[in-house]
Amino acid sequence: MLYALSKSLGSEEGYAEVKACLTSPLAKFVAWGLLSALLYHLVAGVRHLIMDAGIGETLEGGRLGSKIIIAISVVLIVLAGVWIW
């Protein structure tokens, strides 16, 4: 992705090549996969920040928090898929 960014900023021809490459279904799937991993990581990181504040540190709170994180992540990942496709 960094290579594509560098190439697209280099020239108009580079931008056109990257745009053509990123419209393929495989490239969209890879971008969606990368974005999905980043979104899950972001949501889980927020959970850990909340736990550092002392909320949800019990076993029951941890289980509930993990279910909430999965649900929020699934919603965000589906929205990212709609946005990309």
Side-chain angles (χ1 to χ4, degrees), residues 51-67:
M51 289 178 71
D52 286 343
I55 300 170
E57 290 182 331
T58 64
L59 181 60
E60 294 169 3
R63 287 184 180 161
L64 178 63
S66 63
K67 291 176 185 175

Side-chain angles (χ1 to χ4, degrees), residues 21-42:
C21 179
L22 291 180
T23 57
S24 73
L26 179 62
K28 287 183 179 183
F29 183 73
V30 169
W32 182 57
L34 290 171
L35 190 56
S36 298
L38 289 173
L39 285 171
Y40 177 78
H41 188 72
L42 173 74

